[in-house]
Every structure is written in C-alpha cells, then in structure tokens.
Amino acid sequence: MNVTLFRRAICFVFITALLLASLPAAAAAADQPQVSAGAAALYHPGTDTMLFEKQADERVPVAFLAKVVTAMIAAEQLAPTDMATVPESYKTGVPALSAMQYQVGETISVEDLLYAVFVQSADEAANILAAAVSGDIDAFIKKMNDYAAGLGATDTLFTNTHGVYDGEGYTTARDAVKIITAFSQNETLMEISDATYHRAAATNMTGERDMYSTNSLIHSQSSYYDGRCVGVKNDYSDQGGYSLATVAKSGEMEYICVLFGAQTLADDRVGSYVDATAMLDWALENFQVTTILQKDDPCAEIPVELCKKTDKIVLLAAQEFTRLMPVEYPPESLVFTPNIPESLTAPVAMGDEVGTLTIAFEGETLGEVPIVAGQDAPLDELLYYTSQITGFFNSPVIKAITVVCLLIVALYIFYVVYYNRKRKKYKKVKNKQMNRKK
C-alpha cells in the first residue's frame, strides 16, 4: 500500500472521530436538567449509556416497580386468556380498594387484571395475579425478589405485590432502570401500560368495567402529555412522593426514564411529569448516536517479519463502533490507543485478529474494537530458514552446549600440551641417564 495514502487515511479517520462526540464524561459538559425528584436516571439502552443520574444508588420506596415486576412474572407464567379467581387474600396490604370492586370468588381474565394494574392502578389486582401464579402471596413475593435479582437489581427488596408504602420495601433508580429495560422488551406489557382506557369483560359476578389511566404523561388530553413517552407506570404516596417510569422514543432514539420522590412544584404542577419532560428535552437536544469508527477503517500499522512482499501491514477496525455522543465536545478529548504486539511474524492472513483499539474520552474508556490485518503477509521460505538457523545457534541451549564443547576442547588442548611437555622432559631425563651408563 502507498505509505502516503495510508497516512492520509489514518489522519482522515482520526480527524473525523475527533469531530464526533462521547458519553458519560461528556454528559457533564452539557448543562444537566434540574429535577425535583429525589432520585432519577435516564438510560440509553441502544448504547448501554447512563446519560443522567441523580442519587441513583440511594434507596427509595419501590412504588410503581412492585406492580411492574408482578405483571412481568404473571405475563411470563400465565396466558392472557387464563382466568384468575379472586382469593380471600386479595386485600392484603391494600388500605383502600380501587373502583374495580372485585369480589371473592369472581373469575377475571389475566389480560383484564394486567390492564387493571397499569391503567386503573388497582393494588388488589396485583394480589389476584400473584395468587393465580403462586397460590400464595408470600410465595409470590419471594419470586419477585428472585426475579429482580436475576435482572441485576441486587439492591431491591419487595415486601408486597403492589408497592403500597410499608416502610420496608426499597429499590434504587439504577435497579429500576434494569427492570424497566427488561420490561420494555415485552411488547404486550408495553401496549397494556400505554393504554389510557380499557373496558374489561363481564365476569361471573359483574358486568363490564371501564378503566381510565392515572398516568397523565401518556394521556393526550392532559397538560402533562408528552408524545414521546410510551407506558410504563406512575405512582404517588405521602411518604414516597411522585414517581414514574416511562420509555421515551423520538426517531431512532430510545430512553428509559425513572424518577422517585418528586414533589408538587411551586406552580402546583406535578414534579415527576415536569422532570421527565425536562430530562428528555435535555437528552434529545444535547446528544445523538454517532458512529466513531466504520468497519474496515484503518487504525494502525504494524511491522511484519519473515515476509518479503511487505515489511508492514495496515490494521483495520473489525466492526463498527457506535456510541451516544454529545452534539459538541472538545475534539482533543477523544483518544485512540492500539493494543497490539511490537511486530507480527508471517504468515498473516487478511482478517486475522491482531489486537484491539481502545477508545477513550476525557480519561474514561468508551470501549474497545477488535482490529484485524488488512492484507495478507505470506511467509518467505528463504527468510524463514535463515531465521531458523540463526535462531538455532542463538538459542540458550545451543550456546550452553557450544561453551561446554569449547571448554572440553580447551581442556583437551591443555592436556595434550601438558602431556607432551611431560613426555619430552621424561625422555630428556632418560637420555641423560643412558649417557651416564655409557
């Protein structure tokens, strides 16, 4: 490859990358939104980026998250058309029943109960689902905690199925993000949680029931309506304040937004809704998903030994590298570091993985990309055998054997010289003795 062209290509890639952007450290560069919530997090699942967090590891009441996990387990283990019977225990931990007014012995479809959980926010519906899954509410609560831990939410404790404040259950905004991210993969639950109205079918004890959403963020008639938000759940308690989780979509961008402990603002607006919109506005105005490296972009050069065709080969990015980037940032803050050996030994085939390229921004590692050989480097047999011979004689064992042989030869020469001198001396003495006898 022409060296000048290669250098120009390398410069082009790095300059292009430097004109792009980065992630967590860059988020600090943009003025972050002011939120009233005690704990909050904004997560971009497409690039695994926690873009914004406030007290994300502080424990807060589980609030809406209990209903979310209850629904996730029920949706996995029951079919929407399955019928659940209202048990005697359906009021467990529920200080006030919802407008659904379920009755012991009534049979309701799982689908209608899921709508009751999300649209009507019926606490007792969560208990009915729990009993349908496990037969016992306490056994189901254990299942909830195991389920959350399996999603990586290791700082979460559920003590009931519905999230009514009891002073014992807790979670964190970071754990909530993990759970809501998993929830967002279930299209059925996402559709249910995004509904603002549902009419439940008649049962064996009552006629049809109408349900109306309590989530103003997704209600088009509300002043809090944000068309970017899809589902998931909101909540309020005197002890825990306003909380919510939602999945926000705008074009190809998708965010998981969670808030806990928001309050009523000075203008009497609900803080959780205002905070969610402010966080999303901030993210969409200041960040974008950008490709830093394209697959097959040149990344480095490396010397090659035992190859007559070329003494260097170009290394290429083995895959595309994409991250959530701020719209603007200091270009000199992006650093590329090849992690490769000092040289390669032929034969090298095009596409062979050679090492990695670490990409960092303001001291934080964004990630690594495998880098591969961009061309073949065939083995030259003459160079190979010359190298083998040279290597043979340069090996420590051969060197040691050579030293030992030289020592043996030296000792032998010393012995021969010594023996000959001794012999000559002996002959000289013997000749003198012979002469005296004569």
Side-chain angles (χ1 to χ4, degrees), residues 287-346:
F287 296 88
Q288 60 187 6
V289 175
T290 309
T291 299
I292 294 178
L293 283 177
Q294 296 281 358
K295 184 178 182 296
D296 294 332
D297 276 346
C299 300
E301 266 188 341
I302 189 170
V304 181
E305 299 176 357
L306 306 184
C307 178
K308 192 174 182 180
K309 179 180 176 181
T310 180
D311 59 352
K312 291 182 180 179
I313 61 172
V314 180
L315 301 181
L316 309 177
Q319 62 193 38
E320 184 178 86
F321 187 81
T322 302
R323 284 294 181 270
L324 186 66
M325 308 295 177
V327 175
E328 297 180 355
Y329 79 99
E332 65 276 7
S333 301
L334 196 59
V335 178
F336 299 85
T337 306
N339 307 303
I340 55 178
E342 292 184 2
S343 64
L344 297 177
T345 301

Side-chain angles (χ1 to χ4, degrees), residues 15 17 50 70-71 143 165 167 174 200 208 211 229 233 255 259 269 273 298-299 365 403 413 427:
I15 290 172
M50 187 70 80
T70 294
K143 191 184 294 287
Y165 182 83
R174 195 178 306 280
E208 295 176 334
M211 306 177 193
C229 296
K233 192 72 187 80
Y255 289 102
L259 296 145
R269 290 172 65 75
Y273 299 138
C299 300
T365 298
V403 170
I413 293 171
K427 284 183 176 181

Side-chain angles (χ1 to χ4, degrees), residues 10 29 59-60 88 93 104 137 185 233 268 291 303 334 394-395 399 403:
I10 288 288
R59 289 180 175 177
V60 293
E88 294 282 353
V104 175
I137 291 178
Q185 305 306 307
K233 192 72 187 80
D268 290 331
T291 299
L334 196 59
N394 285 334
S395 71
K399 286 182 178 180
V403 170

Side-chain angles (χ1 to χ4, degrees), residues 190-191 193-194 218 226-232 245-249:
M190 282 297 296
E191 181 179 347
S193 73
D194 193 46
I218 62 173
D226 190 325
R228 301 167 297 189
C229 296
V230 183
V232 177
T246 190
V247 178
K249 299 181 179 182

Side-chain angles (χ1 to χ4, degrees), residues 72-123:
M72 292 173 74
I73 297 172
E76 288 183 9
Q77 301 198 13
L78 302 171
T81 55
D82 286 347
M83 303 302 290
T85 301
V86 179
E88 294 282 353
S89 59
Y90 82 105
K91 297 181 183 179
T92 302
V94 181
L97 296 176
S98 72
M100 295 298 94
Q101 296 298 304
Y102 296 121
Q103 303 174 54
V104 175
E106 185 176 2
T107 56
I108 308 153
S109 74
V110 168
E111 181 180 52
D112 283 341
L113 287 169
L114 288 171
Y115 273 103
V117 165
F118 286 101
V119 179
Q120 191 66 37
S121 199
D123 298 325

Side-chain angles (χ1 to χ4, degrees), residues 36-39 236-237 240-243 259-265 270-273 275:
S36 68
Y236 173 79
S237 70
Y242 293 100
S243 59
L259 296 145
F260 292 91
Q263 303 300 320
T264 302
L265 304 180
V270 177
S272 57
Y273 299 138
D275 288 350

Side-chain angles (χ1 to χ4, degrees), residues 64-74 140 144 147-148 158 179:
F64 62 82
L65 203 60
K67 286 190 177 75
V68 166
V69 171
T70 294
M72 292 173 74
I73 297 172
F140 186 83
M144 292 172 68
Y147 188 87
F158 294 112
I179 293 171

